[in-house]
Amino acid sequence: MSNSKDIDALIDMMAKLPGLGPRSARRAVLHMIKKRSLLFIPLAETMHTVAATARECLNCGNIGTSDICDICNSEKRATGELCVVEDVADLWAMERSGVFKGRYHVLGGTLSALDSIGPDELRIPQLMNRVAAENITEVILALNATIDGQTTAHYIADQLPNVEVTSLAQGVPIGGELDYLDDGTITAALKARKSF
Amino acid sequence: MSNSKDIDALIDMMAKLPGLGPRSARRAVLHMIKKRSLLFIPLAETMHTVAATARECLNCGNIGTSDICDICNSEKRATGELCVVEDVADLWAMERSGVFKGRYHVLGGTLSALDSIGPDELRIPQLMNRVAAENITEVILALNATIDGQTTAHYIADQLPNVEVTSLAQGVPIGGELDYLDDGTITAALKARKSF
Ligand SMILES: [Zn+2]
Ligand SMILES: [Zn+2]
């Protein structure tokens, strides 16, 4: 296509990224080549570093560059509050709002009978262990307002009779996904959280 | 944001690519980290290779991995026909249609009084040299059907009184850009080209 095997391979791989297709991948690669020293070389180097070091936190499932992520490592975040999210993208959305000071637990998805995803396919057993081991007094369920998200929230609440379980309340639209919300909405929803 | 300096830097750089923004860059980076061995590591390696080797062809302006691109190096492409395009993306679009067998000349833009882009800011002097040096019998102007594109086409045609100058005809919509067309439209436009 471009008459260079490497450039074609790069376009093909970029086209597999979510939100990109063949045409936008070609545009992106041409753009990078034109901005070689300002963008392409630093991007290639950072990509190399992250590809070599990025991993899931063994405790919470967040993505970082060490076995235990910075949030789990920080004593300041041991507030007794644990925020449960479906995905790392949701954790990042919570962090951007800056309003939550505790730690997180990333489930890695939601329960789904249709897709045969039960508690053991998610990080639910680890969540139960953490609630006991980390002196958790409140579990905040920040799951998406979808049917599967709410099924998962009910399941977790049922498993935790001895700890306060709350959920994000005001501001999360029906059928909406957390990662699409603006920071202000997340802040409002967290502040107005109600008992589950 | 993600609590990792390298991951944040990667997201920031990805967000600068055309068609991506902060949100799609975050999604893309999470996707790559999840597909580490199948996508992320090969992508990082290919990016490193292309960043180190990609350059503009000294003859035609095409992008490849050597000083003279494969098309300029191929004796088979010395048909006497030279196709003039604005941008490398347009050259790639022509190549995907597979119908043109000659060589290319990438102008690097269009003439624009508004942006003070004259012939010397584009590869127009080099075009004149090539027409003489490479025994060109036909110059096909495959410029976008925009005002600046057509102004540039007229200017080039005026500079080449002793060679046949044609332009893509049927199928290019008014105001349309070449890189957006499907291969069949490009094929039809090239086959029905008319004297300029
Ligand atoms: Zn962690
Ligand atoms: Zn060339």
Side-chain angles (χ1 to χ4, degrees):
Chain A
M1 184 163 60
S2 74
N3 291 289
S4 152
K5 205 164 53 78
D6 289 328
I7 295 175
D8 286 348
L10 179 58
I11 292 170
D12 286 347
M13 284 187 270
M14 295 281 292
K16 286 181 190 154
L17 297 177
L20 287 168
R23 180 164 198 286
S24 43
R26 288 194 297 269
R27 293 252 147 196
V29 169
L30 279 176
H31 182 81
M32 291 190 296
I33 292 175
K34 283 173 190 167
K35 307 256 175 190
R36 182 188 182 129
S37 52
L38 274 174
L39 177 60
F40 200 6
I41 289 175
L43 177 56
E45 275 171 17
T46 308
M47 212 169 240
H48 185 78
T49 306
V50 175
T53 58
R55 71 198 84 176
E56 286 181 349
C57 171
L58 296 175
N59 193 44
C60 76
N62 184 19
I63 282 172
T65 48
S66 50
D67 281 344
I68 301 296
C69 76
D70 291 350
I71 296 175
C72 287
N73 260 331
S74 165
E75 269 310 309
K76 277 189 188 164
R77 306 290 298 242
T79 62
E81 291 175 328
L82 192 63
C83 179
V84 177
V85 292
E86 292 176 21
D87 198 84
V88 174
D90 299 327
L91 186 162
W92 290 358
M94 291 291 297
E95 283 294 283
R96 286 197 300 281
S97 84
V99 74
F100 180 66
K101 306 296 184 200
R103 287 182 180 152
Y104 293 93
H105 194 76
V106 181
L107 294 179
T110 49
L111 296 173
S112 167
L114 214 67
D115 300 322
S116 309
I117 299 177
D120 292 345
E121 274 72 52
L122 305 175
R123 274 190 205 83
I124 288 181
Q126 294 92 320
L127 171 62
M128 302 306 152
N129 293 340
R130 287 187 67 191
V131 168
E134 297 183 30
N135 296 317
I136 300 300
T137 53
E138 180 180 355
V139 171
I140 301 167
L141 302 175
L143 304 180
N144 292 325
T146 57
I147 292 174
D148 282 344
Q150 295 310 300
T151 303
T152 308
H154 279 279
Y155 176 86
I156 292 173
D158 285 347
Q159 306 292 309
L160 294 168
N162 300 319
V163 67
E164 189 177 10
V165 179
T166 59
S167 64
L168 295 191
Q170 267 193 348
V172 182
I174 304 297
E177 296 195 358
L178 219 66
D179 190 31
Y180 282 81
L181 300 183
D182 61 275
D183 305 349
T185 307
I186 289 178
T187 302
L190 188 84
K191 284 190 172 153
R193 66 186 183 270
K194 59 182 187 3
S195 281
F196 195 84
Chain B
M1 184 167 56
S2 73
N3 292 288
S4 151
K5 204 165 51 79
D6 289 328
I7 295 174
D8 287 348
L10 179 58
I11 292 169
D12 286 347
M13 285 188 269
M14 295 280 293
K16 286 180 192 156
L17 297 177
L20 286 167
R23 181 165 197 285
S24 44
R26 290 193 297 268
R27 293 252 147 197
V29 168
L30 279 177
H31 181 82
M32 291 190 297
I33 292 174
K34 283 174 189 166
K35 307 256 175 193
R36 182 188 182 132
S37 52
L38 274 175
L39 176 61
F40 200 5
I41 290 174
L43 176 57
E45 277 170 16
T46 308
M47 211 168 240
H48 185 78
T49 306
V50 174
T53 58
R55 71 198 84 175
E56 286 181 349
C57 171
L58 296 176
N59 192 44
C60 76
N62 185 20
I63 283 171
T65 48
S66 49
D67 281 344
I68 302 296
C69 76
D70 291 349
I71 296 176
C72 288
N73 260 329
S74 166
E75 270 309 309
K76 277 189 189 163
R77 307 290 298 241
T79 61
E81 291 176 327
L82 192 64
C83 180
V84 176
V85 293
E86 292 176 23
D87 199 83
V88 174
D90 299 326
L91 187 163
W92 290 358
M94 291 291 298
E95 282 294 281
R96 287 198 300 281
S97 82
V99 74
F100 180 66
K101 306 299 183 197
R103 286 183 180 150
Y104 294 93
H105 194 76
V106 181
L107 294 179
T110 49
L111 296 172
S112 168
L114 213 66
D115 300 322
S116 310
I117 298 177
D120 292 344
E121 275 71 53
L122 305 175
R123 273 190 205 85
I124 288 181
Q126 295 91 320
L127 171 62
M128 301 307 151
N129 293 340
R130 287 187 66 191
V131 168
E134 297 183 30
N135 296 317
I136 300 300
T137 53
E138 180 180 353
V139 171
I140 301 167
L141 302 174
L143 303 180
N144 291 326
T146 58
I147 292 173
D148 282 344
Q150 295 310 302
T151 303
T152 308
H154 279 280
Y155 176 86
I156 292 173
D158 284 346
Q159 306 293 308
L160 294 168
N162 299 319
V163 66
E164 188 177 10
V165 179
T166 59
S167 66
L168 295 192
Q170 266 194 346
V172 182
I174 304 299
E177 297 195 356
L178 219 66
D179 191 31
Y180 280 81
L181 301 183
D182 60 277
D183 306 350
T185 307
I186 289 177
T187 302
L190 188 84
K191 284 192 172 152
R193 67 187 183 268
K194 59 184 190 359
S195 280
F196 196 84

